[in-house]
């Protein structure tokens, strides 16, 4: 059983900061929801840029540039303290970093083999499964089922003819995405601001760096490639992960996981608005389903936050 749904859990560094567990935010649950949605939009632009970078650096090369640049930016801005943390704190950060590095590596290996839409659709199954496991209310299972139906509909109702290796990578990325949600929430409770994220990103970068060097070599040192990699890092890692970490301090894992089902819908909308890709009737229906599920999850959480607390 996950502890993500218990925002009263605290550590020595999270007692009195605004928006930290135990301190209600002024905007209630809609504040964290806005952070998650902003992060999703940023990821879509970063993902589009990453696709143009793959011919230059390869899948693992792109992941390496993204994580290393993100780690450098976060370390410079956050300057996290290395002392004063417990063994449990460091264990959480290391697990968070492993999830970050593995999730990104597997996902980019997936999109190198299968189209982006099916890859995102399969990856989202991880957070959706987490929403069912971590939920304590039957209504959240309903929202998860609704979102799951929309995700499959957006994927064309099936994945026949898709490279099975790519499918395996995407499903593996989904499992690690669920782990990312859990450890991001725990890290946010144990470390102030985005300090934990900066440390976890450093762990992820150090784990992936040898693979990227072995895969792409001196192609990673090309100035244009470095510049594009830095932009991908800011759009796809620094901004969204920071926003999500802050959101997860007050947003239950079940609600957050269902909100993640909006990613395929955001990708389809971005394709229509930016790339001129027309949406079919099933795709429009799928977007409507996942948005309805997300709204339902948010309304459920808002209702819980407004409900009176009765003493036993």
């Amino acid at each position: 059983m996950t502890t993500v749904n218990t925002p009263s859990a605290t550590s020595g560094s999270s007692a009195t900061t605004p928006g930290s567990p135990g301190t209600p935010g002024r905007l209630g649950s809609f504040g964290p929801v806005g952070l998650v949605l902003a992060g999703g939009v940023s990821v879509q632009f970063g993902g589009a840029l990453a696709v143009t970078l793959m011919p230059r650096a390869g899948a693992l090369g792109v992941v390496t540039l993204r994580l290393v640049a993100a780690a450098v930016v976060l370390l410079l801005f956050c300057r996290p303290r290395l002392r004063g943390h417990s063994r449990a704190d460091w264990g959480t950060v290391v697990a968070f970093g492993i999830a970050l590095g593995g999730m990104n590596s597997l996902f980019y290996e997936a999109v190198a083999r299968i189209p982006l839409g099916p890859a995102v659709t399969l990856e989202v199954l991880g957070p959706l499964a987490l929403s069912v496991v971590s939920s304590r209310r039957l209504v959240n299972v309903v929202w998860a089922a609704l979102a799951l139906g929309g995700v499959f509909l957006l994927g064309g109702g099936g994945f026949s003819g898709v490279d099975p290796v790519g499918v395996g990578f995407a499903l593996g990325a989904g499992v690690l995405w669920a782990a990312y949600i859990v450890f991001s929430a725990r890290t946010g409770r144990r470390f102030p601001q985005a300090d934990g994220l900066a440390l976890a990103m450093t762990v992820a970068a150090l784990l992936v760096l040898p693979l990227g060097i072995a895969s792409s070599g001196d192609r990673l040192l090309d100035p244009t490639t470095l510049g594009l990699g830095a932009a991908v890092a800011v759009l796809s890692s620094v901004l969204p992960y920071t926003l999500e970490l802050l959101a997860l301090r007050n947003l239950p894992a079940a609600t957050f996981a269902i909100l993640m089902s909006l990613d395929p819908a955001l990708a389809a909308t971005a394709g229509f608005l930016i790339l001129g890709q027309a949406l079919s009737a099933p795709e429009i229906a799928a977007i409507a389903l996942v948005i309805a599920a997300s709204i339902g999850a948010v309304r459920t959480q808002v209702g819980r936050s407004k409900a009176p607390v009765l003493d036993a």
Side-chain angles (χ1 to χ4, degrees):
M1 179 181 296
T2 180
T3 61
V4 182
N5 283 328
T6 57
S8 60
T10 59
S11 65
S13 62
S14 61
T16 59
T17 51
S20 65
T23 304
R26 292 182 179 180
L27 298 180
S29 295
F30 285 108
V33 169
L35 295 177
V36 173
L37 294 179
V41 172
S42 181
V43 164
Q44 298 311 319
F45 282 97
L49 187 58
V51 171
T52 67
L53 184 57
M54 276 194 180
R56 289 177 171 270
L60 287 176
V62 172
V63 174
T64 300
L65 289 172
R66 171 178 170 176
L67 294 180
V68 170
V72 170
V73 170
L74 287 170
L75 287 174
L76 289 175
F77 277 90
C78 298
R79 297 184 179 182
R81 291 188 301 106
L82 298 181
R83 297 182 178 181
H85 302 299
S86 68
R87 182 177 299 180
D89 292 340
W90 284 112
T92 300
V93 160
V94 170
F96 187 19
I98 293 172
L100 272 172
M103 175 182 69
N104 282 282
S105 299
L106 292 179
F107 179 74
Y108 278 107
E109 289 290 352
V111 297
R113 294 168 171 79
I114 62 178
L116 183 61
V120 174
T121 301
L122 289 167
E123 188 189 25
V124 165
L125 298 182
L128 285 174
L130 176 63
S131 72
V132 176
V133 173
S134 63
S135 174
R136 297 180 181 179
R137 301 186 65 185
L138 180 60
V139 66
N140 281 330
V141 178
V142 175
W143 299 132
L146 185 63
L148 182 61
V151 166
F152 272 111
L153 189 59
L154 192 63
F159 299 92
S160 59
V162 179
D163 183 349
V165 177
V167 171
F169 278 128
L171 291 174
V175 172
L176 290 177
W177 193 357
Y180 156 81
I181 294 172
V182 173
F183 287 107
S184 178
R186 294 179 181 178
T187 300
R189 289 196 294 268
R190 289 180 175 272
F191 292 84
Q193 305 304 322
D195 286 10
L197 176 61
L199 295 172
M201 192 69 72
T202 303
V203 172
L206 291 175
L207 289 175
V208 174
L209 183 58
L211 300 177
I213 293 175
S215 173
S216 302
D218 57 5
R219 288 186 293 169
L220 299 176
L221 300 178
D222 177 75
T224 302
T225 301
L226 285 173
L228 291 173
V232 170
V234 172
L235 289 173
S236 296
S237 294
V238 177
L239 284 177
Y241 292 159
T242 301
L243 294 175
E244 290 172 4
L245 182 142
L246 295 175
L248 278 165
R249 289 178 175 174
N250 292 300
L251 196 67
T255 303
F256 177 84
I258 295 176
L259 284 170
M260 290 297 95
S261 66
L262 279 172
D263 274 11
L266 289 173
T269 303
F272 175 72
L273 295 177
I274 299 174
L275 304 175
Q277 298 173 345
L279 296 173
S280 65
E283 289 171 333
I284 294 174
I287 291 174
L289 283 176
V290 294
I291 290 177
S294 298
I295 291 175
V298 172
R299 289 179 62 86
T300 299
Q301 171 60 15
V302 171
R304 290 181 64 186
S305 66
K306 291 181 179 179
V309 178
L310 301 178
D311 293 331

